[in-house]
Amino acid sequence: KYGGLQMRFNTKLLWILTITVIAILSIWLILSSGHKKEKTTEKVKANAEFAVKIQTVSLETLPELLEFSGTIMPTEESTVSSKIMSTVQSVYVKEGDSVRQGQILAKLENSDLQAQVAQAEAALKAAMANTSRAYTDVSVKKTQSSTDIASAEANYRAALQQLSLVKEGPRTQEKEQARLAVVQAKAQLVNAETELTRMKNLYQQDAIAKRNLDTAQMTYDVAKASYDSAVKQEEIAQEGSRKQDIAAAEEHVRQAKEAVRAAKTSVSQIRMTQKDAESAAAQIAQAKEALKYAKVMLSYSYIKSTTNGIVTLRHVDPGDTVSPGFPIITIERGKAQLDAEIPADIVNNIKKGQT
């Protein structure tokens, strides 16, 4: 303190001496110029070369230097941390390196995470294949079901028509045809019988050969059989359908109806298959989410820079074990600033922008 006071005293004394000298010189010049008015202009100009600039004396405050201790810190600091528990496999930067946003700074052991991604991809492929097969099965069953139903319904309609015909019995026209067939067969039988009688008489008289008699006998036998058949058909036509025929037609209708029901039952089976296909499709969505999650977890094994800046601190080395939240790399960016403590008796005298 004493040295400071002495320096300020010497400075003020120097200023006083300087001002006194200047004042004396100024008075001397004024007096000299008053006694030499008669000198020539050239001489006055010559004396003007010794003119001194006059400075008005003023009081000024000398700047005061303040000293403080503090820490220089960046305006922005970012610490990249681990999001998973793993072992550090590689660190690609060192302190002082410049890094850019998105740059890989370190890599964690991720063989198990890669296996999970591969497993999720395989599960997704399987789910997609199952869904494709399920929907193909639905399409095939729909086509087959439509064909079966159409065929069963056609058979059912045919069975109903046949039952109707059986219940109605032969028509009038059919009955008349059966009666005419009997008349025709009877006429042929009478002719054959007359011819056979004539041939027998001739044969007894040795008028014809035996073969002629045999031919007449055969013609008669055929005519007799035709007549008996025609009579039987006429009886059936007149009698109508038998109970056995109606029962058989009704059974056919029942079977055809059951076939239609069975064919339509396959529609419900198709609905179940459709639900299976929809369930398989839902498994695709689940598999996609599982794959997405596995890829996110794998991405956490690559430690990336979140900003552009300078690496100021490297917290880990290969082989270190890290857990979620454990710091890996610290990056700084932006201008530096001083963080210092200023005494309370001085802080009020400091203004923003002061040098």
Side-chain angles (χ1 to χ4, degrees):
K1 291 182 179 179
Y2 175 79
L5 292 173
Q6 185 177 7
M7 182 178 293
R8 287 196 293 272
F9 176 78
N10 291 337
T11 301
K12 290 181 179 181
L13 180 60
L14 180 61
W15 275 99
I16 293 171
L17 291 175
T18 302
I19 294 171
T20 303
V21 172
I22 293 174
I24 294 171
L25 289 176
S26 299
I27 295 171
W28 180 78
L29 290 174
I30 293 172
L31 293 176
S32 298
S33 61
H35 290 289
K36 298 179 181 180
K37 290 181 179 180
E38 67 279 1
K39 292 183 179 181
T40 61
T41 304
E42 290 79 3
K43 194 171 183 179
V44 173
K45 291 181 178 181
N47 291 332
E49 296 178 359
F50 297 97
V52 178
K53 184 178 180 181
I54 299 174
Q55 176 70 38
T56 303
V57 178
S58 62
L59 183 62
E60 295 182 2
T61 302
L62 296 177
E64 185 177 3
L65 180 63
L66 303 176
E67 294 183 0
F68 306 102
S69 61
T71 304
I72 297 178
M73 301 182 64
T75 56
E76 296 182 28
E77 183 179 77
S78 175
T79 298
V80 184
S81 303
S82 174
K83 294 183 179 180
I84 58 174
M85 178 174 287
S86 184
T87 302
V88 178
Q89 184 177 12
S90 303
V91 182
Y92 303 116
V93 295
K94 60 183 181 299
E95 296 173 356
D97 288 349
S98 296
V99 296
R100 65 184 184 278
Q101 184 177 4
Q103 179 180 341
I104 297 178
L105 307 177
K107 179 184 177 183
L108 307 181
E109 173 60 38
N110 60 8
S111 57
D112 55 337
L113 298 177
Q114 290 180 347
Q116 292 176 9
V117 170
Q119 184 178 1
E121 290 176 342
L124 176 59
K125 290 181 180 178
M128 294 177 68
N130 291 337
T131 302
S132 178
R133 285 194 296 268
Y135 278 110
T136 299
D137 191 21
V138 170
S139 177
V140 170
K141 286 186 176 181
K142 282 183 177 180
T143 302
Q144 185 63 41
S145 176
S146 298
T147 303
D148 292 345
I149 291 174
S151 177
E153 288 179 342
N155 291 335
Y156 179 61
R157 289 192 298 270
L160 288 175
Q161 184 177 8
Q162 181 64 28
L163 175 61
S164 177
L165 292 176
V166 171
K167 286 183 176 181
E168 290 177 359
R171 294 175 295 178
T172 303
Q173 183 179 1
E174 293 176 343
K175 292 179 179 180
E176 181 64 19
Q177 289 177 350
R179 188 186 67 78
L180 292 176
V182 170
V183 172
Q184 183 178 4
K186 186 176 182 180
Q188 292 176 352
L189 177 60
V190 170
N191 290 335
E193 184 178 6
T194 301
E195 182 66 15
L196 177 60
T197 300
R198 189 175 68 85
M199 288 296 173
K200 285 181 178 181
N201 293 330
L202 291 175
Y203 179 74
Q204 290 175 357
Q205 297 174 6
D206 294 328
I208 58 173
K210 182 69 169 56
R211 65 175 178 275
N212 293 331
L213 177 62
D214 294 338
T215 300
Q217 183 63 48
M218 185 179 63
T219 301
Y220 172 80
D221 293 339
V222 170
K224 183 68 171 60
S226 297
Y227 174 74
D228 292 340
S229 176
V231 171
K232 186 64 176 177
Q233 291 296 325
E234 183 185 16
E235 291 176 353
I236 293 174
Q238 296 297 332
E239 181 183 356
S241 300
R242 295 177 300 173
K243 293 181 180 181
Q244 296 89 332
D245 296 335
I246 295 175
E250 288 176 343
E251 176 63 18
H252 188 198
V253 169
R254 188 191 66 78
Q255 293 177 355
K257 186 177 181 179
E258 180 64 21
V260 172
R261 188 195 64 79
K264 290 184 177 181
T265 302
S266 64
V267 175
S268 61
Q269 295 177 350
I270 292 175
R271 294 193 186 99
M272 296 179 61
T273 306
Q274 180 73 30
K275 290 182 179 180
D276 292 340
E278 292 172 355
S279 177
Q283 291 178 0
I284 289 180
Q286 295 176 358
K288 285 183 177 180
E289 288 299 321
L291 177 59
K292 181 180 179 181
Y293 176 78
K295 287 184 176 180
V296 169
M297 295 301 294
L298 178 61
S299 69
Y300 290 160
S301 66
Y302 296 93
I303 308 302
K304 298 181 180 180
S305 175
T306 58
T307 183
N308 299 329
I310 305 296
V311 175
T312 57
L313 190 59
R314 172 173 147 172
H315 301 274
V316 296
D317 292 309
D320 293 346
T321 300
V322 296
S323 58
F326 193 91
I328 305 295
I329 299 292
T330 296
I331 302 171
E332 296 180 357
R333 61 172 296 179
K335 298 180 179 180
Q337 63 182 13
L338 175 64
D339 186 8
E341 294 185 0
I342 302 176
D345 58 340
I346 299 177
V347 68
N348 294 331
N349 297 328
I350 298 177
K351 298 179 181 180
K352 183 176 180 181
Q354 181 177 344
T355 302

